Amino acid sequence: AQSVTQLGSHVSVSEGALVLLRCNYSSSVPPYLFWYVQYPNQGLQLLLKYTSAATLVKGINGFEAEFKKSETSFHLTKPSAHMSDAAEYFCAVSGHNFNKFYFGSGTKLNVKP
Amino acid sequence: DTAVSQTPKYLVTQMGNDKSIKCEQNLGHDTMYWYKQDSKKFLKIMFSYNNKELIINETVPNRFSPKSPDKAHLNLHINSLELGDSAVYFCASSSYQETQYFGPGTRLLVL
């Protein structure tokens, strides 16, 4: 069985501040992990993915995430928030067949000027 | 070019009606999916088709029936719509053992 938990349904940061969005996973098999972003009234866009290569994964728009097996975590970070980063972020886990994605409940990121 | 497209973008209808949502992908993928996103933004898989064959069928009322006429299309037909069916429905596609790419969503409101 697989699942993800995103801590904090809302996160608010100031422009230029560090962004940290938390994701913890549960998986009975070595997981593949993903972060997706959803802008208002749009579909989900892939930010980055971990597929058992490098544990530190760099994605688009300056985001990165680190897979930590000991902590069962895959937190998303960005050193300096931009107003355009305001969106909903979803963490997801799948097995190696990619067929079933299990999504977290999402974290809404607000960026204050 | 839109990779995964859905029509309609918005759908407002009365309870008890039957409606369809269409999905098309031009990525050459062989696997397509339907997800439901509820009002709390929770995203859950409903169905998955691989090469026109149903491979995932989660616990979904049988009022929902997916149809895949070819690898590039996966439509979702909903019979006897209920208030609780109001949600955003996302289509996605992927190649075998690759990342899923999502469509823009169809916002369904049942009155």
Side-chain angles (χ1 to χ4, degrees), chain B residues 30-43:
Chain B
D30 51 15
T31 308
M32 295 184 73
Y33 313 79
W34 277 110
Y35 286 84
K36 179 180 180 181
Q37 186 177 44
D38 63 23
S39 58
K40 295 182 179 178
K41 298 288 188 174
F42 185 64
L43 199 65

Side-chain angles (χ1 to χ4, degrees), chain A residues 32 34 36 38-46 49 51 88 90 96-106, chain B residues 9-10 31 33 35 37 40-43 45 48 55-56 58 90 96-105 107:
Chain A
Y32 286 173
F34 308 81
Y36 283 84
Q38 184 180 25
Y39 296 103
N41 297 317
Q42 294 189 27
L44 280 75
Q45 180 182 359
L46 180 68
K49 62 182 178 182
T51 55
E88 189 104 23
F90 292 90
H96 289 192
N97 63 7
F98 283 82
N99 275 342
K100 275 197 177 186
F101 273 41
Y102 295 92
F103 283 85
S105 52
Chain B
K9 189 172 182 179
Y10 298 95
T31 308
Y33 313 79
Y35 286 84
Q37 186 177 44
K40 295 182 179 178
K41 298 288 188 174
F42 185 64
L43 199 65
I45 191 166
S48 173
I55 56 172
I56 294 175
E58 294 293 291
F90 286 101
Y96 179 64
Q97 296 190 345
E98 286 293 334
T99 305
Q100 296 183 19
Y101 292 87
F102 285 77
R107 285 143 187 84

Side-chain angles (χ1 to χ4, degrees), chain A residues 6 8-11 21 35-45 47 76 84-91 104-110, chain B residues 37 39-42:
Chain A
Q6 291 183 240
S9 59
H10 289 80
V11 170
L21 305 183
W35 275 99
Y36 283 84
V37 60
Q38 184 180 25
Y39 296 103
N41 297 317
Q42 294 189 27
L44 280 75
Q45 180 182 359
L47 270 179
L76 182 70
S84 61
D85 294 327
E88 189 104 23
Y89 291 80
F90 292 90
C91 182
S105 52
T107 298
K108 188 168 185 177
L109 176 66
N110 179 44
Chain B
Q37 186 177 44
S39 58
K40 295 182 179 178
K41 298 288 188 174
F42 185 64

Side-chain angles (χ1 to χ4, degrees), chain A residues 46-113:
Chain A
L46 180 68
L47 270 179
L48 49 81
K49 62 182 178 182
Y50 166 76
T51 55
S52 71
T55 56
L56 181 62
V57 181
K58 294 187 185 299
I60 61 171
N61 301 338
F63 283 93
E64 62 182 36
E66 186 171 9
F67 172 69
K68 292 186 176 180
K69 185 178 178 180
S70 61
E71 298 178 8
T72 61
S73 68
F74 190 58
H75 302 330
L76 182 70
T77 60
K78 182 174 179 177
S80 177
H82 193 272
M83 296 296 291
S84 61
D85 294 327
E88 189 104 23
Y89 291 80
F90 292 90
C91 182
V93 62
S94 82
H96 289 192
N97 63 7
F98 283 82
N99 275 342
K100 275 197 177 186
F101 273 41
Y102 295 92
F103 283 85
S105 52
T107 298
K108 188 168 185 177
L109 176 66
N110 179 44
V111 181
K112 299 174 290 186

